[in-house]
Amino acid sequence: VFDLKRRHDKNANTISTILRNGSLLVMNYETQEHYIHRIPKAKNVGRRINLTFRLLKDYEVSSNSGV
């Protein structure tokens, strides 16, 4: 099960979906920023693996950016 709920909204419903073995879930930045997401712990499931991949983009710092 994968749960998704809108942040900062006390009345928001939790959206749940089943992730089967071998599933790949991809979220963009906006999803991670605006939603609380989790895979709740379950009893008697055995081991689980969570891999996180991040795409980092190079950017150029200009001389007037203050960085």
Side-chain angles (χ1 to χ4, degrees), residues 18-33:
I18 295 174
L19 296 178
R20 303 204 185 280
N21 288 339
S23 294
L24 174 65
L25 175 72
V26 178
M27 292 187 295
N28 64 16
Y29 173 78
E30 289 80 11
T31 302
Q32 295 188 44
E33 183 178 357

Side-chain angles (χ1 to χ4, degrees), residues 1-60:
V1 175
F2 174 76
D3 292 338
L4 193 65
K5 185 176 181 178
R6 188 138 178 90
R7 290 185 190 271
H8 313 300
D9 184 352
K10 294 178 183 177
N11 298 319
N13 292 326
T14 299
I15 300 166
S16 296
T17 188
I18 295 174
L19 296 178
R20 303 204 185 280
N21 288 339
S23 294
L24 174 65
L25 175 72
V26 178
M27 292 187 295
N28 64 16
Y29 173 78
E30 289 80 11
T31 302
Q32 295 188 44
E33 183 178 357
H34 298 292
Y35 290 85
I36 298 169
H37 54 278
R38 71 182 187 136
I39 298 176
K41 291 185 179 179
K43 295 181 180 179
N44 303 320
V45 175
R47 295 182 180 178
R48 69 182 195 179
I49 298 173
N50 177 15
L51 301 175
T52 302
F53 299 93
R54 300 187 187 276
L55 174 63
L56 303 176
K57 295 183 179 182
D58 290 333
Y59 64 95
E60 190 173 313

